[in-house]
Amino acid sequence: GLDIRKPTFSRSGVFVSAKGHLITDAQGLDTCDKIIIENHYEAQILVMDTSETLAIIATKQTVSPSAVAEISLHKPTMGDQLIAAGYSYEGLLEAPSVLKGVVDDVWALDGNTDFMRLNIAMMAGDVGGPVLDKFGTLSGIMTADRSEGRSWPKKVHHAIKAKTVVSLMNEAGQFVTYKNLQQPMNEILIARKARNITGLVSCWKD
């Protein structure tokens, strides 16, 4: 039989605008000959943050996501329960998986305050996916392991905080959707929201 072409890697991303702008982990994106969103739409990198952790990508066609991430002034604290979403199996399933996590610390293992340390069963395809707090607002974005040869315990992972998302969107001239905090949301509704704002990002090489 014929070999079926597959992307070099696939990961998750977070829709942040009604025009289809999506934020994801930037690692390796600059090596892709093509970046495809949702298996259909070719996209390009608009801007990366200074640490090259996150990138905003935009489709060349018009895309209308069913929902976009909302930002609040709520800051994560140790012990917070979070709900995340991601294409854990890199697009083999039609919809994102939902994960539960806990904030183990409000900064990274190396002390970087732009990140928070999570206890979460994250897989490679979940990288770039959203982490939502109890109000359903974006608390952070799951990031790839950048430990450079060190092996961490199984459920130790990091997410970059939403403040970097806001800075990156401002740099790109994109409107940030804010939400005024009210009552905590039902977990089922948060999970649904997390799925709705999650997109599939695939890297293809010629």
Side-chain angles (χ1 to χ4, degrees):
L2 299 174
D3 290 334
I4 298 175
R5 286 196 67 212
K6 295 182 179 180
T8 304
F9 63 81
S10 294
R11 65 172 56 126
S12 305
V14 183
F15 285 110
V16 291
S17 85
K19 297 179 181 179
H21 292 86
L22 185 144
I23 292 184
T24 187
D25 191 302
Q27 191 175 69
L29 286 182
D30 56 354
T31 68
C32 306
D33 294 314
K34 284 185 179 179
I35 300 172
I36 305 295
I37 294 177
E38 301 286 86
N39 290 324
H40 294 292
Y41 307 102
E42 189 170 350
Q44 59 188 0
I45 299 172
L46 290 186
V47 63
M48 289 188 185
D49 75 305
T50 54
S51 67
E52 297 186 354
T53 302
L54 294 181
I56 294 183
I57 58 179
T59 57
K60 297 179 180 179
Q61 306 98 321
T62 300
V63 177
S64 298
S66 56
V68 299
E70 295 176 308
I71 308 290
S72 72
L73 298 179
H74 177 73
K75 294 182 180 180
T77 58
M78 289 177 62
D80 278 358
Q81 304 285 322
L82 302 173
I83 291 180
Y87 284 90
S88 305
Y89 297 95
E90 302 184 45
L92 292 179
L93 299 179
E94 291 183 359
S97 304
V98 173
L99 308 82
K100 286 187 177 182
V102 177
V103 178
D104 271 353
D105 215 331
V106 293
W107 49 72
L109 283 169
D110 64 2
N112 190 332
T113 58
D114 289 336
F115 293 80
M116 55 184 167
R117 178 161 54 88
L118 305 180
N119 184 317
I120 191 169
M122 193 179 98
M123 299 172 67
D126 297 315
V127 167
V131 180
L132 303 187
D133 58 28
K134 62 184 178 181
F135 301 102
T137 57
L138 189 70
S139 188
I141 291 179
M142 293 181 283
T143 55
D145 180 4
R146 290 170 167 84
S147 57
E148 298 181 355
R150 296 178 180 85
S151 180
W152 294 336
K154 189 174 182 180
K155 288 190 176 182
V156 175
H157 297 285
H158 289 95
I160 192 164
K161 295 176 183 174
K163 65 179 183 179
T164 302
V165 173
V166 172
S167 297
L168 192 59
M169 291 181 69
N170 288 337
E171 183 180 343
Q174 297 300 313
F175 177 75
V176 179
T177 304
Y178 287 100
K179 178 183 179 181
N180 292 325
L181 295 180
Q182 298 174 351
Q183 296 296 321
M185 290 176 62
N186 179 282
E187 281 193 356
I188 295 175
L189 296 179
I190 298 174
R192 183 182 302 164
K193 185 172 184 178
R195 278 194 169 121
N196 286 341
I197 65 174
T198 302
L200 177 65
V201 180
S202 300
C203 170
W204 292 83
K205 294 186 180 180
D206 296 334

